[in-house]
Amino acid sequence: MTYTLWGSAHSLYTGKARSYLVKKGLPFRERYLSHPDFAARILPAIGKSSVPVLETEQGEIVQDSGDIIDLLESRHPAPVVDPVSPVQKLVSLLFDAFGSEYLLPTAMHYRWSYREQQEEFLRAEFGRAIIANRTREERRDTAAKVMAFFNGFLPNLGVFPETAPAIEAAYLDLIDALDEHFQWHPYLLGGLPSRGDFGMMAPLFAHLGRDPVPAGIMKAKAPNLFRWTERMNSSPVSDGEYPGYTDAYAAEDAIPPTLEAVMRIMFADWLPGLVADVASFNMWSAGKEAGTVVSHDGNGTIHPHVGKVAFDWRGITYRRGSQPHMLWMLSAAQAHYDRLDATAKTRADEALGRTGGTDIISLKLDRRMTRRNNLLVLAN
Ligand SMILES: N[C@@H](CCC(=O)N[C@@H](CS)C(=O)NCC(=O)O)C(=O)O
């Protein structure tokens, strides 16, 4: 049994799926979009050009890093990536949503706002992903067209010269706290990676940990975090750096105090945008039929929005397209929270109270979403 991971080295969400496959010890091979089969077989099956895509030997073809993990978890439960203990599982799901979605504008900012300083690298990486067996010049030229498409995402993500200083300040606060955490612990929740680690790998590897400008920042300012990005792509669970550490989550459902420090920053910076996203989603979804594709214009995309949002954030007004996919991921954490028994809920409430997460877990979506044909749609 060998899985095929369609994606590329420079792709944000491929980095999440790859790290998951590596840490699970699942046999897989990688294929880039440049492979003729991508256009011939994969594209028609998923309906649009996006990665990562997992292909199984039974012929299943799945897009979306979260769906890929869900499918593989249903078949390969060990080693666990969803902690059994309730508070840790909640924290893992929250980091998955935060990493996979909230940090996307940050990752795209550092990739595209410093283009001059890293143009050659980006051209090589985009070229490598999409075209094979051509000269360097041909690759560079082909890459330029695709790069213009991705560079064009910035306004919808709220990345402008006026917002960049706040985006960078928030990022530096976050990575400083993560650096302190990884001084003591190999993974977010202790000695085993969790779904939250994989979500964080999405932005922190391919863009922030690999593109020249942000990688330089991460190495200089948060070397322990940089080291974690390496650890997350190496197959042994323990890499020898933490003698005496066991390959298990922290005992007794505990959250390491250094992670609580990260969570304080995470929740404070995340809340204002989420509040705006929820209001926008609730307004858009009111009265719509089950099965409606989540999208402002009815056209399904992998990063849909359902209108523009504006909110106060770190002393500025932040304007961007709403992020329903972030709400979809947050709702997984909320659903887990809602199912907790009374004792676990009390402990979860204490942890959220200590770290400023109470308002986030209680945000209320009027409608549920589900996934159909690789797209988000309204549920019943
Ligand atoms: N929610 C999706 C997002 C996938 C995604 O955004 N992939 C990027 C590459 S990292 C892509 O293919 N973008 C093409 C597009 O947005 O049209 C996932 O988790 O897999």
Side-chain angles (χ1 to χ4, degrees):
M1 168 215 56
T2 299
Y3 292 103
T4 303
L5 178 65
W6 293 89
S8 70
H10 78 309
S11 143
L12 192 132
Y13 296 96
T14 304
K16 172 179 167 185
R18 180 189 301 107
S19 167
Y20 168 83
L21 286 159
V22 168
K23 286 299 184 191
K24 287 292 282 192
L26 294 171
F28 71 103
R29 56 181 190 173
E30 287 205 40
R31 289 287 178 272
Y32 278 24
L33 287 76
S34 60
H35 192 290
D37 279 9
F38 189 78
R41 291 192 302 107
I42 304 301
L43 207 59
I46 54 173
K48 55 201 167 308
S49 182
S50 61
V51 291
V53 173
L54 183 86
E55 191 176 7
T56 70
E57 282 185 344
Q58 295 94 310
E60 296 144 304
I61 294 175
V62 184
Q63 199 293 304
D64 191 85
S65 54
D67 289 0
I68 291 171
I69 294 178
D70 286 344
L71 175 79
L72 293 173
E73 279 303 288
S74 71
R75 296 184 186 168
H76 310 281
V80 293
V81 301
D82 291 313
V84 177
S85 45
V87 178
Q88 290 179 340
K89 179 166 177 179
L90 176 67
V91 170
S92 164
L93 290 168
L94 287 165
F95 271 99
D96 187 20
F98 178 77
S100 300
E101 295 293 321
Y102 162 90
L103 282 172
L104 178 62
T106 311
M108 291 290 271
H109 161 63
Y110 279 107
R111 171 160 288 179
W112 297 112
S113 306
Y114 292 95
R115 228 176 130 159
E116 239 171 69
Q117 293 95 312
Q118 49 192 14
E119 181 73 8
E120 283 311 313
F121 183 81
L122 293 180
R123 289 232 188 171
E125 294 309 298
F126 274 86
R128 191 187 313 291
I130 56 179
I131 179 169
N133 302 323
R134 293 287 193 287
T135 63
R136 284 196 289 185
E137 285 65 33
E138 284 172 291
R139 266 193 171 179
R140 291 180 76 258
D141 292 349
T142 310
K145 298 184 191 92
V146 186
M147 287 165 67
F149 173 73
F150 283 94
N151 200 156
F153 282 17
L154 292 192
N156 193 52
L157 294 170
V159 179
F160 300 102
E162 314 81 73
T163 53
I167 292 171
E168 296 198 354
Y171 177 63
L172 294 180
D173 286 350
L174 179 72
I175 66 173
D176 184 60
L178 284 164
D179 191 64
E180 175 65 16
H181 176 75
F182 292 124
Q183 176 79 22
W184 304 104
H185 307 282
Y187 303 105
L188 292 178
L189 288 164
L192 269 186
S194 64
R195 204 181 273 257
D197 289 271
F198 302 119
M200 293 293 275
M201 268 300 266
L204 290 168
F205 173 62
H207 293 51
L208 297 165
R210 191 167 179 274
D211 288 349
V213 170
I217 294 170
M218 192 190 286
K219 285 179 181 172
K221 296 194 183 292
N224 297 318
L225 176 62
F226 178 76
R227 177 70 191 121
W228 167 86
T229 66
E230 294 182 328
R231 184 176 309 119
M232 287 291 289
N233 278 328
S234 92
S235 57
V237 166
S238 85
D239 64 1
E241 192 182 319
Y242 304 85
Y245 218 111
T246 46
D247 296 358
Y249 298 124
E252 292 174 15
D253 205 16
I255 307 169
T258 47
L259 193 69
E260 291 206 358
V262 177
M263 288 163 65
R264 267 177 221 113
I265 294 168
M266 160 166 108
F267 289 137
D269 281 334
W270 197 10
L271 180 66
L274 275 177
V275 170
D277 281 326
V278 169
S280 146
F281 175 80
N282 285 346
M283 206 159 74
W284 171 82
S285 61
K288 292 219 166 43
E289 278 176 29
T292 304
V293 173
V294 177
S295 154
H296 71 293
D297 61 2
N299 291 323
T301 68
I302 41 172
H303 293 288
H305 75 80
V306 290
K308 303 276 171 204
V309 295
F311 51 93
D312 294 334
W313 186 71
R314 285 191 168 243
I316 57 169
T317 303
Y318 198 104
R319 291 189 173 77
R320 59 162 168 75
S322 62
Q323 286 183 267
H325 200 93
M326 185 151 78
L327 301 180
W328 157 249
M329 296 192 70
L330 174 68
S331 65
Q334 291 178 322
H336 168 70
Y337 173 85
D338 289 341
R339 286 192 299 265
L340 294 180
D341 65 31
T343 324
K345 197 165 264 180
T346 305
R347 286 194 297 106
D349 286 341
E350 283 164 6
L352 292 168
R354 284 196 302 274
T355 54
T358 309
D359 290 347
I360 284 184
I361 212 69
S362 30
L363 285 170
K364 172 106 185 50
L365 288 182
D366 291 344
R367 298 287 296 276
R368 280 190 317 107
M369 288 177 266
T370 186
R371 305 252 320 149
R372 190 179 300 161
N373 299 331
N374 300 307
L375 291 175
L376 279 179
V377 299
L378 290 180
N380 293 325

